[in-house]
Amino acid sequence: MSGPDPTDPTVTTAATVDGAIRSRRTSLLVDAERPVPDELVDHLIDQATWAPNHKRTWPWRFTVLTGDARSRLGDAVAEAAMALGLDDAKVAKLRGKYRRSAVVVLVWVAVDADPVRAREDRDATAAGVQNLLISATANGLGSYWATLSDTLVDAARAVAGVDGGHDLVALVYLGWPTGSVVAPPRPEPQVTRLH
Ligand SMILES: Cc1cc2nc3c(=O)[nH]c(=O)nc-3n(C[C@H](O)[C@H](O)[C@H](O)COP(=O)(O)O)c2cc1C
């Protein structure tokens, strides 16, 4: 972990937030079966909704998959991949992949007819996803932001009961960590200062 431990109650608020931002890692080194309490998942989703949102459209929607629902998502995505002609190995991988964490959260955005609003709503929803990930880290959970290819999203929509007016912004894996991954170093940001 780089930076202060966000789960250490003695660190200051700024250090806690900075520590959670720095120590969040994309990781699937998680216990796929150890349950994550519903209340904790609800809390993370509530944190997502505190993202900034122009026009207060509250465009996000969440689907939480645990237990066999993860397999139903895998089966639906695998069937769609098979229909598209993907090879057997890829289909088998898709079928099993959502069982790699105890919880999978699908984060959707309602797509507005106005392209500017649609872009801003997606930006807001992505900010909400980051809130969710940071809060997951602060609460000791491992997390991983993934997506689905456009050709497979309809399968996820069908499982989630979400209509075509919604786009998938993130498929978030959540679980209790079983290991840690090395942080990919960041290049120096390109910053221009104007005075
Ligand atoms: C929209 C989005 C999609 C991503 N999809 C994948 C993915 O399919 N596979 C993957 O390994 N990581 C995926 N990631 C995570 C990135 O690989 C990861 O953030 C990056 O390697 C930096 O590592 P860190 O998150 O641990 O800092 C995705 C991240 C974002 C924001």
Side-chain angles (χ1 to χ4, degrees), residues 28-135:
L28 267 173
L29 297 177
V30 293
D31 188 326
E33 299 307 329
R34 182 178 160 200
V36 177
D38 287 346
E39 302 73 40
L40 179 50
V41 177
D42 288 347
H43 171 70
L44 304 183
I45 289 171
D46 188 50
Q47 292 294 81
T49 70
W50 286 89
N53 174 212
H54 194 197
K55 302 289 184 187
R56 301 179 190 171
T57 56
W58 319 125
W60 34 65
R61 181 165 171 179
F62 304 87
T63 308
V64 179
L65 304 171
T66 57
D68 289 343
R70 298 168 299 168
S71 301
R72 290 203 293 281
L73 177 64
D75 288 343
V77 170
E79 299 305 318
M82 212 186 307
L84 289 167
L86 270 72
D87 65 52
D88 290 351
K90 285 193 180 129
V91 169
K93 192 172 169 193
L94 286 167
R95 198 179 294 283
K97 78 189 303 189
Y98 307 113
R99 293 208 70 113
R100 294 179 298 175
S101 67
V103 181
V104 173
V105 181
L106 305 178
V107 186
W108 307 92
V109 61
V111 182
D112 198 284
D114 171 5
V116 174
R117 181 72 41 245
R119 192 193 68 223
E120 291 191 343
D121 282 348
R122 192 175 178 106
D123 292 343
T125 304
V129 173
Q130 176 71 349
N131 277 6
L132 189 157
L133 299 178
I134 299 297
S135 187

Side-chain angles (χ1 to χ4, degrees), residues 6 19 21 25 32 37 51 56 70 112-114 122-123 141 147 149 152 158 164 176:
I21 289 170
R25 283 282 69 72
R56 301 179 190 171
R70 298 168 299 168
D112 198 284
D114 171 5
R122 192 175 178 106
D123 292 343
L141 286 170
T147 50
S149 73
L152 299 174
W176 298 110

Side-chain angles (χ1 to χ4, degrees), residues 1-2 22-31 137 140-144 175-184:
M1 174 174 306
S2 57
R22 284 298 183 106
S23 57
R24 179 208 57 78
R25 283 282 69 72
T26 297
S27 174
L28 267 173
L29 297 177
V30 293
D31 188 326
T137 305
L141 286 170
S143 63
Y144 183 121
W176 298 110
T178 54
S180 57
V181 299
V182 176

